[in-house]
Amino acid sequence: MEELCMWCEETPVTETEDTVYWELPDGSRAIEIKEVPSRHCPSCSCTYQDHETIKGIENHLFIINTSILANTLSYKELMEQPKLLKKNYFDFT
């Protein structure tokens, strides 16, 4: 079954990669994350990340040392950062 756009609910979306800007959990700064797994809708031209990708980035930023992150890095580089905790203990979902 093809995945429909979460915004316009029209045409099937395609998998792509995109650059996003993310504020760190402590609010100290924002970083640029390149090559983030994304979805693109040809109907409404919206490019977005699915819930799992967003949750993965958010959780990972809570459990790594964000003070050593470069201002720009790839999604793969971000997700390969060593964890300081086993999981995000602030996620109550």
Side-chain angles (χ1 to χ4, degrees):
M1 182 173 180
E2 295 180 323
E3 179 183 353
L4 297 180
C5 176
M6 70 179 286
W7 296 103
C8 71
E9 298 179 352
E10 292 291 326
T11 57
V13 294
T14 57
E15 292 186 19
T16 187
E17 292 179 342
D18 198 21
T19 298
V20 299
Y21 301 89
W22 221 276
E23 183 178 0
L24 298 180
D26 64 3
S28 61
R29 63 191 171 109
I31 58 172
E32 178 182 50
I33 310 169
K34 297 182 174 189
E35 303 166 5
V36 177
S38 303
R39 305 283 193 270
H40 178 75
C41 174
S43 181
C44 70
S45 298
C46 185
T47 301
Y48 59 91
Q49 293 70 46
D50 65 22
H51 180 71
E52 289 180 17
T53 301
I54 293 169
K55 186 104 172 135
I57 292 172
E58 288 287 331
N59 282 333
H60 201 66
L61 287 172
F62 267 105
I63 63 175
I64 64 172
N65 181 0
T66 58
S67 67
I68 63 169
L69 292 179
N71 289 332
T72 300
L73 69 163
S74 72
Y75 176 78
K76 182 179 177 188
E77 290 170 331
L78 173 65
M79 300 312 278
E80 289 177 347
Q81 292 293 310
K83 297 176 183 178
L84 300 175
L85 300 170
K86 290 181 183 179
K87 68 176 192 166
N88 177 1
Y89 293 98
F90 302 103
D91 182 9
F92 300 108
T93 57

